[in-house]
Amino acid sequence: MTHISLERFLATGDHRRFRGPLAMIFVEDLIEVDTTLRHHLDLGFREVVLFAPPELILPRDLAETVHRVAYNYTSQNAFDQINRMIAAAPGLWMYYCYNAEYLFFPFCESRSIHEMTVFMAEERRDAVLTYVVDLYAADLNRYHTAVSLSDAYLDKSGYYAQSRDGAGGPKERQLDFFGGLRWRFEEHVPPSKRRIDRIGIFKAVKGLKILPNHVFNVEEYNTFACPWHNNLTAAVCSFRTAKALKMNPGSTFDIPSFEWRNSTKFDWHSQQLMELGLMEPGQWF
């Protein structure tokens, strides 16, 4: 599809026919855009809106499958685009990520994203906590952008949580999560960017807004579980931090390798993530 502005896209009214779940994918560079799209289409997303610059050229099958919206990450804010989509399509389950990020949820090899959102609705939950799990290439001499799907590694430990403070003390059922490359190389990461939790999957409702720190203006959306039992969580396996650390002149020469004693090869399977405690099925068996 020819890239058009979000204003023109919404003016067409195509979004009113969407059944969801809807994936919004934001392109910050031209790395692994194709694989990002194919991964999420394989998960069963019924609609994919790709926010991408005009220089991106897609294979014909993807170009004919996704809805393309013009986007420049240096001058446009992804959160503004998400909020406009929320306002335009209340009632729709939505997900957002960036290129070179790959969503995994429990049993995603045999169950679709639609089945997962139906289950969450039955649980009376309108949002899913997703942990952003850093991926990185082992051989940075060979993979200068730190991105390699065949040579991908992740940290198997080093994750922790802290209470999230509010005006009256710690917020109920909300935590700030840390770990991965943002924790190990925190001297290169601003404090406001060190959290790895993201409410990546949610149901759009009237008045809902996402804020610049990946939380929502509705507090219940920011909780990791309901009051009566643990809920399903998911993981966004992401090369985004590794890319930034290796492509930023201020950090690239300080990082000859991301590997350490707790690095392990990524299997590209939800079972590994559940065994490492990086997501859980809740009551979904």
Side-chain angles (χ1 to χ4, degrees):
M1 181 178 180
T2 303
H3 55 275
I4 59 175
S5 67
L6 182 57
E7 292 84 354
R8 288 186 57 193
F9 173 71
L10 295 177
T12 65
D14 287 348
H15 63 284
R16 298 191 183 97
R17 297 191 293 271
F18 291 175
R19 292 182 299 156
L22 162 74
M24 295 174 284
I25 298 175
F26 293 86
V27 175
E28 298 178 307
D29 51 48
L30 304 184
I31 298 173
E32 296 295 346
V33 178
D34 292 13
T35 59
T36 305
L37 289 171
R38 295 188 192 281
H39 176 86
H40 291 90
L41 288 167
D42 288 344
L43 290 178
F45 280 98
R46 291 171 171 170
E47 308 289 347
V48 174
V49 179
L50 179 69
F51 294 79
E55 59 265 28
L56 174 67
I57 299 175
L58 290 176
R60 177 176 294 181
D61 64 322
L62 290 176
E64 294 175 349
T65 302
V66 305
H67 305 272
R68 184 160 175 171
V69 171
Y71 174 72
N72 184 335
Y73 84 96
T74 62
S75 60
Q76 293 177 286
N77 187 301
F79 298 113
D80 291 340
Q81 312 298 298
I82 295 170
N83 284 330
R84 293 175 66 185
M85 290 294 295
I86 291 172
L92 206 65
W93 277 92
M94 297 181 173
Y95 160 79
Y96 74 96
C97 73
Y98 304 86
N99 61 293
E101 293 193 325
Y102 307 87
L103 174 66
F104 285 81
F105 53 86
F107 320 118
C108 61
E109 292 78 18
S110 58
R111 300 182 186 179
S112 71
I113 184 66
H114 173 65
E115 290 176 280
M116 191 269 274
T117 55
V118 168
F119 168 74
M120 293 301 289
E122 292 172 348
E123 293 270 281
R124 289 181 286 168
R125 294 285 291 172
D126 292 331
V128 181
L129 175 65
T130 55
Y131 302 106
V132 180
V133 179
D134 289 325
L135 300 179
Y136 45 89
D139 187 351
L140 297 183
N141 291 320
R142 181 178 180 186
Y143 303 106
H144 301 292
T145 63
V147 178
S148 170
L149 273 64
S150 61
D151 190 44
Y153 282 73
L154 54 77
D155 289 1
K156 62 182 179 181
S157 64
Y159 303 93
Y160 67 98
Q162 294 179 342
S163 60
R164 180 174 295 167
D165 294 330
K171 293 187 176 183
E172 181 185 0
R173 293 175 287 117
Q174 294 191 40
L175 295 170
D176 291 331
F177 294 88
F178 302 91
L181 300 182
R182 302 180 197 209
W183 169 64
R184 289 200 280 129
F185 298 93
E186 64 177 12
E187 67 272 20
H188 298 294
V189 182
S192 62
K193 303 291 186 181
R194 291 176 187 170
R195 285 178 30 239
I196 63 168
D197 52 279
R198 181 191 298 177
I199 309 301
I201 306 168
F202 59 92
K203 185 177 181 180
V205 295
K206 185 177 181 180
L208 182 70
K209 290 184 181 295
I210 191 170
L211 306 176
N213 57 349
H214 293 281
V215 299
F216 284 90
N217 63 335
V218 177
E219 291 291 355
E220 186 62 27
Y221 272 66
N222 303 323
T223 59
F224 57 81
C226 63
W228 49 89
H229 63 64
N230 289 342
N231 290 112
L232 176 150
T233 58
V236 177
C237 297
S238 172
F239 287 102
R240 192 172 180 230
T241 299
K243 280 193 302 176
L245 289 171
K246 276 312 290 180
M247 297 173 73
N248 187 326
S251 56
T252 184
F253 299 109
D254 294 337
I255 305 174
S257 175
F258 287 121
E259 280 195 284
W260 67 318
R261 64 184 182 278
N262 288 318
S263 294
T264 189
K265 183 91 174 194
F266 183 41
D267 294 341
W268 295 94
H269 199 284
S270 64
Q271 187 63 40
Q272 181 188 29
L273 296 165
M274 287 189 282
E275 289 174 355
L276 291 175
L278 296 173
M279 64 183 184
E280 62 174 284
Q283 311 299 309
W284 196 25
F285 299 112

